[in-house]
Amino acid sequence: MSQAGSALREPAGRAFPLPDLYERVSRHVPAIEWPALAPDVEAILRLKRERNAVVLAHNYQAPEIFHTVADIVGDSLALAREAARVDADVIVLAGVHFMAETAKLLNPAKTVLMPDMAAGCSLADSITAADVRALRAKYPGVPVVTYVNTSAAVKAESDVCCTSGNAADVVRALGVKRVLMIPDEFLARNVQQQVPEVEMLTWAGHCEVHERFTPADIAEVRDSYPGITVIAHPECPPEVVEASDFSGSTAMMMNYVTEKRPSQVVLVTECSMADNIAVANPDIEFIKPCNMCPHMKRISLRNIRQSLETMTHEITVEEGLAERARRAVERMLAVKPTQTVSPRQAA
């Protein structure tokens, strides 16, 4: 019997709360901590029913969010696709600000809530709409492919958006010889390897989580764990991707692990990614290093609950700007993917 079994009791003798939900995260949340988290989980589940709300959670969210209160989980592409189809009055985005803006662009009539407005993104902060206009002036006629990790204002100045999961497909679909791929320099350079026939003009934006990984990190892991499988996110520097066995979006990383089932694996990305895959794959050993995203970790069960209780913080986008940004996102969604990724529907 697991520690979440019916025999487990709180110190005061009360029955252990929500044991079935705790079972999902018992390898990552100590039993002593669960009674403090359970009231927020219970309140969120109740508030979702009362508000006709859903919680969309990115793969980098902590297991106690990802596996207990999230209705739809996935990478940026999966969340963007599901946001366009979600049947609810209220969307709570357990992720970062640009994801909430994207959800609002695709659901203008719905209420989109962000539990913490300070949950930002170093990539989104690295470029402005004025920067995009300056690039267009410098490279007239060159299409602008913008990573979804950007503000709505930047998307509005772009031709089409992309994610790490569909960037190569989006570039190929344009049918041109030269594109501006912004703002992630490393993603653009890695996509260049997949689409060598298209010249990538880049911007010097980086993810503060992924830019810190080095080939030396990979070499150290391989020395310590001979035969380990190394999977890197394409926001990592190209030399890190080159030193890895596989590179792909968070959804592709998850699919690779569940399909290939390596005995030992290291995910060169944000820490919670490995924790969330490990919940469903207890027979696979996940080795760290990893880096923590301080922005993702601003989201908690407590502020998700507060967001639903107070209906804050509501995301709004000025309609003229929203219409232009929406077109860039919809063009991305219209590109036929080479690999279909279906987000898990949480219970």
Side-chain angles (χ1 to χ4, degrees), residues 41-172:
V41 172
E42 197 164 30
I44 291 166
L45 298 178
R46 172 180 54 79
L47 287 161
K48 287 197 299 180
R49 292 190 298 268
E50 294 173 357
R51 305 285 197 193
N52 188 25
V54 293
V55 174
L56 273 60
H58 189 266
N59 289 330
Y60 293 163
Q61 284 302 303
E64 63 267 24
I65 293 172
F66 191 90
H67 289 287
T68 68
V69 301
D71 300 285
I72 298 168
V73 298
D75 64 1
S76 297
L77 177 58
L79 295 183
R81 290 189 185 282
E82 290 304 308
R85 295 193 289 259
V86 70
D87 181 19
D89 297 322
V90 178
I91 297 171
V92 181
L93 206 300
V96 293
H97 189 268
F98 78 80
M99 297 177 184
E101 272 195 335
T102 304
K104 183 62 178 179
L105 293 176
L106 296 171
N107 293 272
K110 297 183 186 298
T111 299
V112 176
L113 303 178
M114 185 72 203
D116 187 332
M117 293 293 281
C121 173
S122 59
L123 276 170
D125 291 342
S126 74
I127 194 165
T128 67
D131 292 327
V132 184
R133 290 192 292 270
L135 287 170
R136 283 195 178 279
K138 184 176 180 179
Y139 301 102
V142 177
V144 176
V145 178
T146 296
Y147 200 21
V148 291
N149 300 39
T150 47
S151 68
V154 167
K155 290 180 176 71
E157 299 294 334
S158 310
D159 293 295
V160 63
C161 289
C162 74
T163 70
S164 58
N166 70 357
D169 293 329
V170 168
V171 169
R172 290 190 191 99

Side-chain angles (χ1 to χ4, degrees), residues 298-312:
R298 296 188 70 92
I299 306 301
S300 65
L301 288 170
R302 179 55 52 88
N303 60 28
I304 292 173
R305 174 181 180 173
Q306 291 172 342
S307 184
L308 281 165
E309 286 176 337
T310 62
M311 297 298 287
T312 57

Side-chain angles (χ1 to χ4, degrees), residues 311-331:
M311 297 298 287
T312 57
H313 305 273
E314 185 172 356
I315 298 296
T316 60
V317 183
E318 186 273 319
E319 185 47 43
L321 184 148
E323 184 178 351
R324 292 157 53 215
R326 189 179 301 118
R327 281 198 296 267
V329 177
E330 288 174 344
R331 287 177 187 134

